[in-house]
Amino acid sequence: MTDLIRNFCIIAHIDHGKSTLADRLLQLTGTISEREMTEQVLDSMDLEREKGVTIKASAVRMNYRARNGQVYELNLIDTPGHVDFGYEVSRALEACEGAILVVDASQGVEAQTLANLYLALEADLEIIPVINKIDLPSAHPDEVAEELENLLGIPGEEILRISAKAGLNVEEVLEAVVQRVPPPRGRDDLPLKALIFDSHYDPYKGVVAYIRVMDGKLSASDTLRMMITRATIKPIEVGIFAPDLRPTSELHAGEVGYVATGFKTVRECRVGDTITLATNPAAEPLPGYRKVKPMVFAGIYPVEGEDYEDLRDALEKLQLNDASLIYEPETSQALNFGFRCGFLGMFHMEIIQERLEREYDLDIIVTAPSVEYEVKLKTGETILIDSPAELPEEGEIEEIREPWMYIQIFSPTEYYGTIMDLVTKRRGIFASQEYPAPNRVQLNFEIPLSELIVDFFDQLKSRTRGYASLDYQFAEYRPDDLVKLQILVNAEPVDALASIVHRDAAYHIGQTLISKLKDIIPRQLFAVPIQASAGGRVISRANVKALRKDVLAKCYGGDITRKKKLLEKQKRGKKRMKMVGNVEIPQEAFMAVLRLRED
């Protein structure tokens, strides 16, 4: 009976209490016993607990006896909270009919609250606004209720006020879900259509796909087909989340559960794909599928060369669970063998880096992040490059296009000027502004992604004392006057230090890099020139002075020509040495340059 099913999710900005509310709902419905209860039950990764942010979506089924005496099946789909995982959020929302919008009573509406709310409204979900953390001394629920009233048009007095941590009024949330979220509309007698909204890799069952059955029904004995990847499977197991995996005989229209596929990688079972029956397939897949495209690229190299194979194994294992991580081998003169990796964004990159260091105990170096550029050649061909080392010679290029983003910054009005200053210094273009509430401003800009990825978010937080929040979406590729900035050490280009920069900024960045490297590169027995070149000419140069042996020490007294002769001999030796000499760039130099780019 779909009448007694409610599928809903919780959407919120990071740290507004989403996982704590999920914990309380699980306790109230008796889904988890007091003995099994831990904080943030649905956040199983240590990193998720530490950073207070959900990274992987998860789902759980709860049975709740409402005040009207009926027992309802409530399927809670927990969504990631960070903007990097926006596509996963959109798929999880498609699997629901309602959304609980959680807003912190002390912080009010923030950028991702809005971004996720708009996604939920686009998916046509019933929104239940909830003000959380009303027990905090700094809480101002009346002002937040007014903000939500202006935003949603729901009277402020009807908005639920709770404290998930203290358990205040949490049962009202369950009642609101039962009364206001519509039941699913699917029918068992139609051809099977099930949406994959997430997946994880299990060493025994292969890839476990999290699904919402839209129409039809499926059992473990059916032969299933993925409509996008065209893969056919005989499932190992079909079941529900309670919150651990619990096998059942079949899943019906409107239900949320899982299918253990036996696939060996997540690539064959992509988020957003549609599962149907091989014998009686649906006519077309569910809409909205897209291949997740990495936005930020960086090289990952082991500090010790012999760890290369361990790094390959670690990346392979991470990719089993995370289809959006891509990697391919690359070599660098400075860092030897490593991998070029693609990430959804800076936060995704940080998570992967920490997991490699913690879970796999690897010492790694991550190069400066770069973005993917479109390069139009004079031959008419267009190529994509994600590493500055791959950029063709300037004479072959007609134009270089870089990715631009739409960004929305939410902030108290007092930081208006400092935000404007930050964005315009980074080639941002002001688009519009809105005042969703008194003393709050939403500023909309367009900005190149390359300016956004290094330390924009940190700068924004420090300039606004942590009050501003940021959300971004890809806009388009735009041509600009970009050049490759190369660093040459002893006339040899160092590929790992190359970057693509705007022509106007090349001189300033080149000069800063050179003066930093001059202090770090160890002195040799010969003078080492360090140069920055852009657009085919050297724009900055410095010399690392040679270590000199005092050849005149033993030459006391006598004619000046003796001294000259010895000095000339030393000069010739240095010249010969310089021709064959090889300058090793120490790892610290490399790290210092990365830090410099973040200054």
Side-chain angles (χ1 to χ4, degrees):
M1 280 285 289
T2 57
D3 292 352
L4 297 178
I5 298 175
R6 299 289 184 273
N7 297 324
F8 69 101
C9 60
I10 304 176
I11 54 177
H13 189 77
I14 293 172
D15 207 26
H16 279 206
K18 183 157 66 92
S19 297
T20 313
L21 177 58
D23 291 351
R24 290 299 152 271
L25 299 181
L26 292 173
Q27 272 181 306
L28 262 179
T29 53
T31 309
I32 283 189
S33 64
E34 291 297 326
R35 188 171 59 84
E36 296 169 303
M37 191 66 204
T38 57
E39 274 196 33
Q40 292 167 264
V41 177
L42 299 180
D43 292 348
S44 51
M45 258 190 264
D46 288 344
L47 267 176
E48 291 184 308
R49 299 212 163 132
E50 272 174 41
K51 291 186 180 290
V53 49
T54 304
I55 295 163
K56 284 287 289 170
S58 52
V60 63
R61 176 182 290 194
M62 305 176 279
N63 290 320
Y64 171 63
R65 183 175 291 280
R67 288 176 190 156
N68 60 13
Q70 291 278 17
V71 176
Y72 289 87
E73 175 193 308
L74 305 181
N75 290 307
L76 163 61
I77 295 170
D78 194 23
T79 58
H82 198 276
V83 57
D84 281 3
F85 307 108
Y87 175 63
E88 281 90 332
V89 174
S90 74
R91 294 303 86 208
L93 296 179
E94 286 294 330
C96 305
E97 277 79 33
I100 298 172
L101 176 70
V102 179
V103 180
D104 186 323
S106 61
Q107 290 177 308
V109 174
E110 294 200 63
Q112 276 164 267
T113 321
L114 271 188
N116 290 340
L117 170 64
Y118 292 148
L119 279 174
L121 290 170
E122 273 173 39
D124 204 18
L125 303 191
E126 179 64 40
I127 309 290
I128 301 171
V130 169
I131 299 172
N132 188 21
K133 306 191 188 182
I134 55 166
D135 55 331
L136 288 182
S138 58
H140 40 84
D142 294 338
E143 287 174 40
V144 177
E146 196 181 319
E147 275 187 54
L148 285 169
E149 187 176 336
N150 293 342
L151 197 63
L152 295 166
I154 295 173
E157 58 276 7
E158 286 179 28
I159 295 171
L160 300 174
R161 300 177 186 205
I162 66 162
S163 167
K165 198 165 194 176
L168 286 173
N169 286 346
V170 176
E171 194 160 343
E172 296 303 324
V173 177
L174 288 169
E175 282 296 319
V177 168
V178 166
Q179 288 162 21
R180 286 155 64 177
V181 174
R185 288 189 288 269
R187 285 170 35 195
D188 275 9
D189 54 354
L190 291 172
L192 173 68
K193 269 189 189 178
L195 172 73
I196 301 174
F197 63 86
D198 201 10
S199 60
H200 79 263
Y201 180 77
D202 181 287
Y204 304 107
K205 298 173 184 170
V207 174
V208 177
Y210 299 16
I211 62 164
R212 152 74 198 272
V213 184
M214 296 297 188
D215 285 314
K217 58 181 181 180
L218 79 140
S219 69
S221 58
D222 293 330
T223 305
L224 306 175
R225 177 177 295 150
M226 309 285 158
M227 294 188 79
I228 305 284
T229 58
R230 296 272 170 219
T232 303
I233 51 153
K234 193 91 169 140
I236 295 170
E237 184 178 291
V238 167
I240 61 162
F241 303 99
D244 48 345
L245 304 183
R246 196 166 295 173
T248 56
S249 56
E250 52 186 21
L251 290 172
H252 293 266
E255 291 192 308
V256 173
Y258 70 88
V259 174
T261 62
F263 284 142
K264 290 290 169 267
T265 70
V266 195
R267 280 197 297 273
E268 294 144 315
C269 181
R270 292 196 176 272
V271 172
D273 205 341
T274 306
I275 295 181
T276 189
L277 294 176
T279 47
N280 179 23
E284 75 274 335
L286 294 161
Y289 172 80
R290 63 183 169 85
K291 203 169 172 184
V292 179
K293 190 168 176 272
M295 299 300 288
V296 174
F297 296 83
I300 296 183
Y301 293 84
V303 171
E304 300 297 331
E306 58 264 28
D307 290 344
Y308 177 75
E309 286 303 323
D310 296 343
L311 177 59
R312 182 199 292 275
D313 293 346
L315 284 168
E316 226 165 75
K317 284 175 185 153
L318 283 178
Q319 200 183 40
L320 289 175
N321 266 323
D322 185 351
S324 50
L325 167 69
I326 62 161
Y327 67 93
E328 55 186 42
E330 78 166 357
T331 52
S332 149
Q333 297 152 336
L335 301 166
N336 295 325
F337 294 98
F339 295 92
R340 188 86 192 152
C341 302
F343 311 94
L344 296 173
M346 287 304 286
F347 182 69
H348 186 212
M349 175 172 151
E350 194 186 315
I351 293 295
I352 297 292
Q353 188 178 340
E354 285 207 32
R355 289 186 70 183
L356 286 171
E357 288 171 347
R358 273 190 202 190
E359 295 172 25
Y360 300 96
D361 200 23
L362 289 166
D363 275 342
I364 54 172
I365 282 182
V366 180
T367 65
S370 75
V371 299
E372 194 168 56
Y373 294 90
E374 267 184 9
V375 181
K376 189 180 178 190
L377 302 176
K378 289 189 172 163
T379 56
E381 186 191 351
T382 301
I383 57 170
L384 289 171
I385 61 148
D386 55 49
S387 164
E390 295 170 8
L391 192 69
E393 291 301 313
E394 197 160 347
E396 300 170 26
I397 298 171
E398 190 163 312
E399 67 177 15
I400 305 175
R401 303 185 198 116
E402 63 179 336
W404 279 64
M405 310 297 280
Y406 293 126
I407 62 168
Q408 294 96 38
I409 297 175
F410 232 71
S411 163
T413 44
E414 66 201 83
Y415 302 114
Y416 189 106
T418 184
I419 293 170
M420 277 288 189
D421 180 57
L422 172 68
V423 180
T424 47
K425 272 186 179 165
R426 294 184 177 232
R427 298 195 284 135
I429 300 167
F430 174 71
S432 62
Q433 64 190 34
E434 292 163 35
Y435 290 89
N439 302 324
R440 305 276 282 177
V441 63
Q442 177 187 339
L443 296 166
N444 303 315
F445 297 96
E446 294 169 12
I447 189 171
L449 178 58
S450 56
E451 301 285 348
L452 199 63
I453 61 172
V454 179
D455 64 338
F456 184 87
F457 190 63
D458 298 343
Q459 285 279 334
L460 180 68
K461 285 288 179 196
S462 62
R463 284 179 178 225
T464 60
R465 299 186 191 164
Y467 283 113
S469 53
L470 170 76
D471 186 64
Y472 53 86
Q473 298 96 32
F474 175 69
E476 60 182 348
Y477 275 95
R478 292 184 194 170
D480 213 328
D481 190 6
L482 303 169
V483 290
K484 179 180 179 178
L485 178 68
Q486 273 195 311
I487 302 297
L488 294 94
V489 176
N490 201 20
E492 285 290 317
V494 182
D495 55 358
L497 298 180
S499 55
I500 295 174
V501 297
H502 196 273
R503 197 180 293 272
D504 296 347
Y507 177 71
H508 169 69
I509 296 171
Q511 209 166 25
T512 323
L513 278 174
I514 295 298
S515 46
K516 192 86 172 177
L517 282 171
K518 180 174 172 274
D519 300 334
I520 296 164
I521 290 178
R523 289 170 71 180
Q524 313 287 322
L525 287 167
F526 53 92
V528 178
I530 316 171
Q531 298 161 306
S533 91
R537 64 192 183 91
V538 172
I539 52 174
S540 181
R541 171 189 169 125
N543 278 352
V544 178
K545 286 199 173 78
L547 287 169
R548 289 191 66 150
K549 179 183 171 190
D550 190 0
V551 290
L552 303 180
K554 62 179 186 291
C555 185
Y556 45 90
D559 190 5
I560 185 71
T561 53
R562 272 189 72 201
K563 292 184 181 178
K564 279 191 172 173
K565 196 173 165 187
L566 285 169
L567 287 170
E568 280 299 320
K569 189 177 173 188
Q570 184 186 31
K571 203 170 169 186
R572 285 198 303 277
K574 297 260 184 215
K575 198 171 176 185
R576 196 165 63 248
M577 194 187 281
K578 185 172 178 176
M579 286 162 71
V580 295
N582 186 16
V583 184
E584 280 285 315
I585 297 179
Q587 221 92 60
E588 308 85 76
F590 200 74
M591 299 307 284
V593 170
L594 292 191
R595 275 197 296 276
L596 161 85
R597 288 186 181 171
E598 290 169 17
D599 284 350

